[in-house]
Amino acid sequence: MLVKIQKQRIRKGMFIESVACPSREFARRRFILASDKDLAAILATSATEVSINIALGLDENGAQSRAGSQAAPHAEPQRAQAVRGEIDQAAITLRANLREIVGAGTLDMAGLSRAADDNARTWSDSAVIALEVTRLKTKDETTYVHSLAVSGMMTLLARALELDDETTGLLGVAGMLHDIGKLLIPNEILTKPGALTDAEREIIRNHPEAGYQLLKTYPEIPQVALDICRLHHEVLDGSGYPLGLKQKDLSATVRLSTVCDVFEALTSVRPYKRPWTSTEALDWMFARPHLFDRKMVIRLGSVLVDAPIV
Ligand SMILES: [Fe+2]
């Protein structure tokens, strides 16, 4: 439930939907206000009003709202809200990075590596909370939050498989970049609510190849990220796309990326389906060894069950 308040009334613990500054000097949206730094930054803007969501944080009087507690009797604990804020912020940063790569032809590989590291740390802190948070992603952030989630899961799974640090770091970056080809697809197709035409479906199915062709123009992109971008929709029996490769031609890192990508998609909110629980998604994938590497599925399950999964 959204409420507009004078900016002087904001308090830590409120969930900030948006800050109405005319010159857009504070673009961050949808996060729990948790630090004095953010509080001061909002107060310093030219905004007069701030929009808060009292179902997700403190109300306009700084109290836990009745509306919020009624609307969400099992409201996320504070830690989950903080993780959501971190993920929202990371999605904004990733969006800027990827848009720059697509639009202006520049690539800050060191920046992407740092972002992947930070993201992995969020996931290490609490994979289960982060997983829950990504299920709440808003539609317009879908590709970015999905990429962050896949990056985080790939890092966790790489660690669980005891891959070396360098490979693990590269996989984190590869996860962030794996769907960059989607940014080349017109929005009308990418977010079309109804059924796709054959031609539109073909355009979507081309995103791995389109992303690969884009990324390979950058010499600094490691081969593992190129492979994952191009091959993350391939499956073991050769029925995937775009190349229809079979198991023997799919590296362990590509198989790892496919498992994380599919798991994340299944457990996410989509306009056309409810989010599957972690258990449902893992069971579904486990029952399809002709498509997915079972060892990876089992390991991913073990990574995500430090706390009970639902
Ligand atoms: Fe994809």
Side-chain angles (χ1 to χ4, degrees):
M1 185 187 297
L2 302 189
V3 175
K4 278 188 182 167
I5 58 171
Q6 295 290 308
K7 76 174 175 192
Q8 289 79 8
R9 295 181 65 196
I10 59 170
R11 299 280 178 276
K12 284 194 281 184
M14 288 179 175
F15 188 90
I16 306 294
E17 283 285 343
S18 61
V19 179
C21 36
S23 50
R24 292 173 157 264
E25 68 268 39
F26 193 96
R28 194 171 165 198
R29 298 175 65 241
R30 308 214 76 235
F31 67 98
I32 191 84
L33 182 56
S35 72
D36 291 322
K37 194 170 145 224
D38 284 339
L39 183 66
I42 294 173
L43 291 175
T45 65
S46 60
T48 54
E49 286 186 329
V50 174
S51 180
I52 62 170
N53 189 331
I54 64 171
L56 298 171
L58 299 181
D59 69 11
E60 64 271 39
N61 300 312
Q64 188 66 50
S65 78
R66 282 176 53 215
S69 51
Q70 281 166 6
H74 305 293
E76 292 172 281
Q78 218 172 6
R79 174 70 187 133
Q81 291 187 351
V83 171
R84 183 205 296 236
E86 286 171 38
I87 288 181
D88 280 347
Q89 187 57 42
I92 290 167
T93 306
L94 181 61
R95 172 165 51 189
N97 275 328
L98 297 188
R99 281 283 169 205
E100 207 166 304
I101 294 171
V102 169
T106 59
L107 171 64
D108 175 9
M109 190 64 193
L112 269 175
S113 292
R114 270 197 308 278
D117 273 357
D118 289 348
N119 184 46
R121 212 162 297 125
T122 300
W123 280 78
S124 303
D125 282 355
S126 177
V128 174
I129 290 177
L131 175 63
E132 291 301 313
V133 169
T134 65
R135 288 168 62 175
L136 301 171
K137 66 170 81 79
T138 56
K139 195 175 160 196
D140 62 326
E141 297 285 5
T142 293
T143 300
Y144 308 104
V145 180
H146 167 72
S147 300
L148 287 170
V150 170
S151 171
M153 282 181 205
M154 285 174 62
T155 307
L156 291 180
L157 184 48
R159 287 194 190 129
L161 293 165
E162 298 181 352
L163 303 188
D164 62 75
D165 287 349
E166 189 188 349
T167 307
T168 302
L170 291 177
L171 287 175
V173 173
M176 291 195 158
L177 295 173
H178 80 284
D179 259 348
I180 194 166
K182 280 194 180 163
L183 302 185
L184 303 168
I185 299 173
N187 251 350
E188 312 84 79
I189 298 177
L190 198 58
T191 59
K192 185 176 173 182
L196 296 171
T197 65
D198 287 349
E200 289 168 339
R201 197 169 300 114
E202 209 37 57
I203 289 171
I204 287 192
R205 283 169 65 93
N206 189 49
H207 79 270
E209 183 66 27
Y212 167 73
Q213 295 297 340
L214 170 69
L215 288 183
K216 80 171 187 176
T217 62
Y218 295 93
E220 51 278 63
I221 296 279
Q223 188 63 41
V224 64
L226 293 177
D227 289 343
I228 285 172
C229 181
R230 192 184 207 183
L231 304 176
H232 66 275
H233 286 287
E234 302 284 351
V235 287
L236 303 183
D237 67 359
S239 62
Y241 61 93
L243 303 178
L245 298 183
K246 290 196 171 178
Q247 180 165 3
K248 64 177 175 48
D249 297 313
L250 299 172
S251 66
T253 47
V254 166
R255 299 195 310 268
L256 179 152
S257 74
T258 304
V259 165
C260 292
D261 182 47
V262 171
F263 177 84
E264 208 290 322
L266 291 175
T267 55
S268 290
V269 175
R270 289 284 194 277
Y272 47 84
K273 72 165 185 66
R274 70 171 175 85
W276 289 18
T277 66
S278 299
T279 305
E280 285 171 333
L282 290 167
D283 285 351
W284 187 86
M285 294 171 79
F286 185 78
R288 286 163 179 75
H290 56 293
L291 301 180
F292 309 110
D293 186 322
R294 250 192 184 170
K295 181 178 156 198
M296 302 284 181
V297 176
I298 293 168
R299 275 305 173 94
L300 182 62
S302 71
V303 165
L304 295 173
V305 292
D306 281 345
I309 54 176
V310 289

